[in-house]
Amino acid sequence: MTQSPIVEILPDKAALIERSLDVVMQKLTLALTEREIATIALSGGSTPKPLYEGLADQSLPWDKLHVFWGDERYVAPEHPDSNEGMARHVWLDRISIPPENIHATPTHLSDPTAAATQYEAEIRRVFATEAPAVPAFDVILLGMGDDAHTASLFPHTPALSVSDRLVTVGNKAGQPRITFTVPLINQARCVLFLVAGENKQPALAQVFASEADAMSYPSRLIQPQGELRWLLDQAAGANL
Ligand code: 6PG
């Protein structure tokens, strides 16, 4: 049985980011009272960048944190589009986290399918969880596109229906992406959406509608076992 989503509408993006920092710190701190390590999967795009900048100024036992990416463009970390490169630049390069705790997607491999398989194996290794069990991340950060995609789960793509893997190959306009699957995201203890901007209103209306096609609005597929929390700014959430 999934819990009802928690929806918080903050006055502006700065307040949304400040609130997201509080929530992420709460969840990671709680995780470390219950388990040896805390696990987080990062989202890409532009919205979470100031959150990662804020995390760089926080204090946590970084040697107990394991960082993954919920999705990644199929580029090298040095590429300007790289979600890994962005998070390393504004956060991970600025804290004393052991390099082996940063689990980047292997986008150096020529075959995205092999990269997805290798990333899944890395997740299973860190969580010590054999297939078919699905590991539970403490926090999975997500954004949402104007088309209601999340991670790299784009409308009407095969990735939406993958149910027997943790990681698969997403497809954005013919470009491969590495993405967590719906089952892996939905196993999380906390899924935190950060959505800002008026341009997200139409997609949010469909995601929160009582009836709508999840294949057209993939963020509807995110119904985690744990907490689902939406942090919206007023511009995005005004009409909910
Ligand atoms: C990516 C993201 C993607 C993103 C949304 C929202 O790799 O682009 O993971 O799912 O979260 O597109 O992006 P913005 O935060 O830039 O609006």
Side-chain angles (χ1 to χ4, degrees):
M1 180 68 184
T2 58
Q3 303 171 30
S4 300
I6 299 165
V7 181
E8 297 185 42
I9 299 179
L10 288 307
D12 53 31
K13 185 174 173 189
L16 183 162
I17 294 300
E18 194 177 328
R19 177 67 179 135
S20 68
L21 187 59
D22 288 346
V23 174
V24 168
M25 288 301 292
Q26 274 173 31
K27 299 297 183 186
L28 295 180
T29 303
L30 172 66
L32 291 173
T33 65
E34 296 173 348
R35 287 170 297 280
E36 284 301 302
I37 64 169
T39 54
I40 186 169
L42 306 183
S43 68
S46 58
T47 304
K49 185 173 178 181
L51 164 60
Y52 303 153
E53 290 168 338
L55 282 166
D57 298 327
Q58 298 299 305
S59 173
L60 266 179
W62 298 119
D63 61 324
K64 297 184 185 306
L65 179 67
H66 284 259
V67 179
F68 294 78
W69 278 265
D71 76 310
E72 183 59 276
R73 294 83 182 276
Y74 213 77
V75 294
E78 299 75 23
H79 191 285
D81 289 349
S82 170
N83 294 335
E84 173 194 345
M86 181 267 278
R88 282 185 184 275
H89 180 63
V90 302
W91 173 27
L92 301 174
D93 291 351
R94 296 172 54 200
I95 60 173
S96 54
I97 184 169
E100 62 271 23
N101 286 26
I102 300 172
H103 307 278
T105 54
T107 55
H108 59 280
L109 298 181
S110 58
D111 174 10
T113 302
T117 301
Q118 182 171 309
Y119 203 43
E120 173 158 338
E122 175 70 353
I123 293 169
R124 290 197 176 285
R125 181 187 68 80
V126 173
F127 282 86
T129 305
E130 297 286 318
V134 180
F137 274 79
D138 292 306
V139 180
I140 294 184
L141 296 174
L142 293 177
M144 188 195 72
D146 299 3
D147 59 358
H149 84 264
T150 191
S152 284
L153 300 166
F154 290 91
H156 304 293
T157 56
L160 300 184
S161 309
V162 175
S163 58
D164 60 346
R165 307 301 302 270
L166 304 181
V167 182
T168 192
V169 179
N171 179 313
K172 177 179 184 177
Q175 294 306 307
R177 299 274 191 99
I178 299 300
T179 186
F180 281 11
T181 59
V182 172
L184 179 56
I185 296 172
N186 282 343
Q187 192 66 15
R189 294 188 179 88
C190 173
V191 174
L192 188 60
F193 271 97
L194 309 186
V195 181
E198 194 174 355
N199 58 311
K200 303 291 173 79
Q201 281 190 16
L204 282 171
Q206 294 297 333
V207 171
F208 282 87
S210 53
E211 294 290 327
D213 173 25
M215 294 296 112
S216 301
Y217 306 104
S219 292
R220 290 179 67 88
L221 296 170
I222 307 307
Q223 298 169 16
Q225 290 301 312
E227 179 181 299
L228 173 57
R229 189 179 293 258
W230 290 80
L231 298 184
L232 312 174
D233 69 357
Q234 179 64 24
N239 295 325
L240 283 188

